[in-house]
Amino acid sequence: MSFCWNHIVLPAKTKFHDSAAISSIVPLSLRTDAGHKPEHMVIGATLTTLSFLCVSVMSALGKVAGQLTSTGVVVLFQNLICLLFIAPIALHGGCASLRTEKIGLHILRAASGTACWYALFVAITMMPLTNAILLSFSAPLWMPMIAWLVSRQKASTATWLGAAIGFVGVVLVLQPHHHRFNVGTLFALAAALLLAVALMSVRWLGATEPMPRILFYYFLLSTVMAIPIAAIQWHSVPARAWIYLLSIGFAQLFAQVLIVLAYRYASSVKLGPFIYTTIVFTALIDWVVWDHPPTLFVVLGMVLVIGGGLVAIRGKTEAPLAAIES
């Protein structure tokens, strides 16, 4: 996905002396340190919550749009509209501002993020919106395992405990004893794994790459990757669908702007847990619009996934912060 969640966990080896070089090529309008204000947690939390409200609305719009056109077309316009707005900002400092030695990570981030949204948009057309979002946003629970498999990076006890609690919640949502199996579940779980990879790649990029560059390459590469999929799946798009496609793109754009503004008022470590407001907003939208009140199992699963995620995030942030302070 395209959120700047790299700020949730700050790598212990971040080179702070690079900030001067970075600030020289980042436009003022999108620089996270530009116009930085004294910490105001209420404003930061409000902006972050509104950002994830946009994500929830975008997911709901994607559910409707997926019934009117192909998933490939939805993903294409989600990224293309954002690219049209981000490109002038990223290019404000000239082509030099786009030079990067991390193109491989940019490609990994775009591929995993694009595939994540594709899988999620497929899932929400096949199952209740709340279930799909809840399973997909269990991504932070998968990150310790992926980190261990890729680099044998050890996680704290709190991180593993949080992951274990969250996975119990995932099982409750899946209800494996249920007699009906929904293939959308596989897409939602695939989205979770892909989102975990995307989050980790953005975290690595965030150590050296400025935000406008990260966003530019994400939307550029994601648009390029979505074009052949949209072309293969293309068919006549009804007029009604265009309204939803444009709304999805602008919801994504507003979500980006709000999260950037939020980090001017509070640290990303403190605002990171607000990612789980997406699940709550989605449950309300699903209930009001599609008359899908969450079942007892889903509510319990929601509590465990959110609680486990908060414990896991706490465990992941303590070690880097301790390293920085020392």
Side-chain angles (χ1 to χ4, degrees), residues 267-325:
S267 70
S268 55
V269 173
K270 294 180 180 179
L271 296 178
F274 283 89
I275 181 178
Y276 291 107
T277 57
T278 305
I279 298 174
V280 178
F281 286 133
T282 300
L284 292 174
I285 294 173
D286 202 15
W287 191 348
V288 173
V289 178
W290 285 280
D291 194 25
H292 288 155
T295 65
L296 177 61
F297 282 107
V298 171
V299 172
L300 291 175
M302 187 184 304
V303 171
L304 290 174
V305 168
I306 294 175
L310 294 178
V311 173
I313 288 176
R314 177 72 176 176
K316 284 185 290 185
T317 55
E318 281 181 347
L321 287 174
I324 292 171
E325 291 172 356

Side-chain angles (χ1 to χ4, degrees), residues 52-132:
F52 288 116
L53 173 60
C54 290
V55 175
S56 301
V57 171
M58 178 172 55
S59 301
L61 292 170
K63 183 177 180 68
V64 179
Q67 299 170 350
L68 300 173
T69 186
S70 68
T71 303
V73 172
V74 174
V75 175
L76 173 61
F77 280 90
Q78 176 198 34
N79 292 292
L80 178 59
I81 291 174
C82 290
L83 176 63
L84 295 177
F85 281 86
I86 293 296
I89 297 174
L91 291 169
H92 180 75
C95 294
S97 63
L98 299 180
R99 291 175 184 170
T100 178
E101 298 179 357
K102 306 289 185 179
I103 191 63
L105 277 178
H106 283 291
I107 293 174
L108 174 63
R109 191 258 173 128
S112 55
T114 303
C116 170
W117 274 114
Y118 187 93
L120 177 58
F121 282 141
V122 170
I124 61 181
T125 62
M126 305 175 70
M127 62 190 302
L129 183 64
T130 302
N131 295 37

Side-chain angles (χ1 to χ4, degrees), residues 225-267:
M225 293 175 184
I227 287 176
I229 302 175
I232 294 173
Q233 298 181 346
W234 187 271
H235 54 78
S236 179
V237 180
R240 179 186 171 196
W242 287 108
I243 299 175
Y244 291 104
L245 292 175
L246 292 174
S247 298
I248 288 170
F250 282 108
Q252 175 82 308
L253 183 63
F254 291 150
Q256 293 290 341
V257 172
L258 287 167
I259 201 68
V260 169
L261 293 175
Y263 287 138
R264 294 185 180 182
Y265 290 95
S267 70

Side-chain angles (χ1 to χ4, degrees), residues 33-49:
D33 61 334
H36 183 74
K37 305 177 184 299
E39 183 174 276
H40 198 305
M41 189 62 190
V42 174
I43 296 178
T46 300
L47 291 171
T48 304
T49 300

